[in-house]
Amino acid sequence: MSQKPEQCLEEWIDREALAEAMIPLIGQLYRNNNVVTSIYGRGLVNRSVISILKAHRFARQIDNVELSVQDTYPLVKALSELELGAASIDLARLSLKFKAEGAGRDLKDFLRSELSAVVGKQGVEQRKGKDVVLYGFGRIGRLLARILIEHQGSGDGLRLRAIVVRKGADNDLVKRASLLRRDSVHGSFDGTITVDEANSTLCANGTLIKVIYSNDPTTVDYTQYGIQDAIVVDNTGKWRDAEGLGQHLKCKGVSRVVLTAPGKGSLKNIVHGINHDTITAEDTIVTAASCTTNAIVPILKAVNDKYGIVNGHVETVHSYTNDQNLIDNFHKGDRRGRSAALNMVITETGAAKAVAKALPELAGKLTGNAIRVPTPNVSMAILNLNLENATSKDEINEYLREMALHSPLHKQIDFVNSPEVVSSDFVGSRHAGVVDAGATIVSDNRVVLYVWYDNEFGYSCQVVRVLEEMAGVNPPAFPA
């Protein structure tokens, strides 16, 4: 029977009312308990009614059915009454688990059992916050700032304390604030930013950020700004080896360094979700590899674990970057001197070789190349793989859907099955890579996978995960 207009509107109003009722509960869990709630990686903190309902609607891409707010509201209400300690809770996965395993059980009893490690721990096990300094404030630096500000909670996680830049103009601070406030790709900053030129600070949603001007990383004494034992995130790409990045460690107040680019020499290239567990207390410098390496390595691992990869080729269709010229001009790199906005530009990528640093079992098995295209953000990796074991399109897609849904790589791998998605649909994706199931090609043991990735924001999320790992401020994730 077809739905009547009155019925459709009434159901929508009911869903809106439940989403509205969830908002203060989600906020209280975040501010009072340091509990971050999400739906398949899509955060719910500080979100609008429509954003929350859209996150529920998105669940159909994973489960083939829309997640009901009638199911999640009771979960959030019950969670708010359990005096939880710090945690990361995926409501969609928790709801599925309750439906599968909670038959006949009271919801609160199920939650007490499932979250026993943090139930009643509110204020008991306080995490110690970690100071973070952003050295460089370009595309990645500003997105890292947005994410760190968004994650500030009650201040016992990663704490953005300062950014270091070279002074570019008399009104430099105002211009830096404006670039943080407005972004042509990622939209407006979600909050308020106050500029204090007299004290050279920005206050963004309650996060006070000191802006330090310096041309030399060895000259900054961070302790004079109250910064101690900080992790410096080098976003400049100027130094990529231990000697160059080690200059930061000579500064007072700095204990560790993370590079937002592939490192050289013996530096560990970390892809969170794959080899982050290799970071030790002795690792004072690590790198977060590249955006492409982060996008492809989790999916390559998933495929290799099940089917075995004999060999393959990675072709990256990559948005243009600041390294290219807007109009034709001299460039030391081949072809990169031609206008980025007008041309597809064939260039090289080190991502295929870099895979071996995170997945040694694939060393020497992959080749790679890249084509820069006239879009400002969101890229695609095409994985052309020869497998040890044959499969089918439906089988490998279902396997990768399960990996996106249930595996330890669910924060890295996302999955979409729509014939209409295009690159701009993935702006703001927090996953390292998104499998486009509709584009998958399979012929016996030969597979071609298409992987979208937000090479700016998705990569920045991976960098923050590395920072949380180094700082030891990762809250336990539920359901297990």
Side-chain angles (χ1 to χ4, degrees):
M1 183 181 295
S2 62
Q3 198 176 39
K4 295 181 178 180
E6 297 82 1
Q7 182 185 3
C8 185
L9 179 59
E10 184 178 337
E11 289 179 0
W12 173 256
I13 291 172
D14 288 344
R15 291 165 62 202
E16 275 190 317
L18 285 174
E20 282 180 353
M22 287 175 70
I23 289 175
L25 298 175
I26 290 168
Q28 289 164 21
L29 281 167
Y30 180 57
R31 280 175 283 279
N32 299 337
N33 305 79
N34 290 301
V35 171
V36 177
T37 49
S38 63
I39 291 176
Y40 291 131
R42 283 148 180 82
L44 301 180
V45 178
N46 292 327
R47 294 294 182 259
S48 68
V49 168
I50 297 299
S51 295
I52 290 173
L53 292 177
K54 284 181 71 174
H56 283 73
R57 175 70 172 162
F58 172 82
R60 79 192 192 283
Q61 297 282 359
I62 303 292
D63 293 328
N64 297 320
V65 293
E66 184 172 341
L67 180 64
S68 172
V69 71
Q70 281 88 358
D71 290 333
T72 54
Y73 173 73
L75 277 176
V76 173
K77 190 172 188 305
L79 291 170
S80 70
E81 297 168 357
L82 293 177
E83 298 183 342
L84 300 175
S88 175
I89 300 176
D90 192 305
L91 298 181
R93 293 186 173 88
L94 196 60
S95 177
L96 276 179
K97 193 164 188 178
F98 178 61
K99 287 180 179 178
E101 302 176 13
R105 298 177 65 183
D106 176 75
L107 176 58
K108 270 196 176 181
D109 288 342
F110 168 80
L111 293 176
R112 287 192 186 97
S113 173
E114 186 67 25
L115 283 69
S116 59
V118 294
V119 170
K121 297 294 180 64
Q122 180 180 0
V124 175
E125 296 181 357
Q126 290 292 338
R127 297 178 299 167
K128 185 179 180 182
K130 187 73 171 180
D131 290 349
V132 176
V133 173
L134 299 178
Y135 195 91
F137 207 52
R139 297 298 299 153
I140 300 302
R142 292 194 296 274
L143 290 178
L144 287 175
R146 285 188 174 201
I147 297 168
L148 291 170
I149 292 164
E150 175 189 292
H151 287 194
Q152 69 179 332
S154 59
D156 61 356
L158 297 174
R159 300 181 302 208
L160 176 57
R161 298 295 309 279
I163 63 173
V164 183
V165 292
R166 291 178 295 180
K167 193 162 189 176
D170 291 338
N171 59 343
D172 187 276
L173 193 64
V174 173
K175 284 184 171 290
R176 304 282 181 187
S178 180
L179 284 169
L180 179 60
R181 186 180 287 118
R182 305 174 183 89
D183 192 285
S184 300
V185 172
H186 299 280
S188 300
F189 175 77
D190 191 10
T192 64
I193 299 173
T194 304
V195 179
D196 184 346
E197 291 189 88
N199 292 300
S200 192
T201 61
L202 305 176
C203 185
N205 290 0
T207 297
L208 188 65
I209 307 163
K210 180 69 177 180
V211 180
I212 302 168
Y213 295 104
S214 175
N215 296 324
D216 183 348
T218 64
T219 61
V220 184
D221 178 0
Y222 294 101
T223 59
Q224 67 177 307
Y225 308 111
I227 299 170
Q228 300 284 347
D229 194 33
I231 301 176
V232 169
V233 185
D234 192 314
N235 305 295
T236 66
K238 186 175 181 180
W239 305 281
R240 294 195 178 189
D241 57 14
E243 181 181 0
L245 294 166
Q247 296 177 88
H248 295 297
L249 297 173
K250 298 176 182 178
C251 300
K252 292 181 180 179
V254 175
S255 61
R256 308 181 86 172
V257 180
V258 173
L259 170 66
T260 59
K264 295 181 179 180
S266 60
L267 291 177
K268 289 181 180 178
N269 279 262
I270 302 299
V271 175
H272 195 274
I274 300 297
N275 63 342
H276 61 272
D277 56 353
T278 66
I279 301 174
T280 68
E282 287 71 42
D283 290 320
T284 54
I285 305 174
V286 302
T287 87
S290 71
C291 56
T292 303
T293 304
N294 275 269
I296 65 177
V297 164
I299 293 164
L300 288 170
K301 175 173 172 52
V303 173
N304 190 57
D305 285 350
K306 184 172 177 65
Y307 299 102
I309 295 174
V310 178
N311 54 46
H313 178 79
V314 178
E315 192 71 33
T316 305
V317 183
H318 200 293
S319 296
Y320 60 75
T321 64
N322 200 44
D323 169 67
Q324 295 171 257
N325 294 330
L326 286 177
I327 57 175
D328 290 1
N329 205 350
F330 175 82
H331 194 294
K332 65 179 181 180
D334 294 342
R335 309 188 204 228
R336 291 199 186 193
R338 302 298 296 279
S339 170
L342 297 175
N343 295 288
M344 293 190 292
V345 179
I346 296 175
T347 186
E348 62 181 12
T349 175
K353 291 182 179 179
V355 167
K357 284 199 170 187
L359 290 176
E361 59 266 36
L362 294 184
K365 293 187 176 183
L366 300 173
T367 58
N369 214 24
I371 305 169
R372 295 290 178 93
V373 294
T375 55
N377 184 42
V378 178
S379 301
M380 170 183 281
I382 305 170
L383 310 180
N384 194 329
L385 308 172
N386 293 311
L387 307 180
E388 293 174 3
N389 302 299
T391 183
S392 67
K393 178 175 178 177
D394 288 344
E395 180 188 272
I396 196 167
N397 276 344
E398 178 59 24
Y399 169 64
L400 291 172
R401 189 185 78 86
E402 286 293 312
M403 294 299 291
L405 177 61
H406 296 300
S407 81
L409 294 172
H410 68 266
K411 288 186 177 181
Q412 283 70 44
I413 301 176
D414 203 0
F415 183 90
V416 65
N417 191 8
S418 168
E420 299 296 341
V421 292
V422 294
S423 61
S424 60
D425 294 320
F426 301 96
V427 173
S429 170
R430 293 174 184 262
H431 290 80
V434 186
V435 176
D436 190 327
T440 299
I441 300 171
V442 178
S443 178
D444 194 31
N445 69 330
R446 180 172 169 268
V447 173
V448 183
L449 298 173
Y450 290 77
V451 181
W452 298 99
Y453 58 106
D454 185 325
N455 48 280
E456 294 184 335
F457 196 79
Y459 174 68
S460 296
C461 289
Q462 281 287 89
V463 174
V464 170
R465 291 173 189 132
V466 172
L467 287 172
E468 289 175 335
E469 194 70 30
M470 293 183 74
V473 296
N474 259 332
F478 299 96

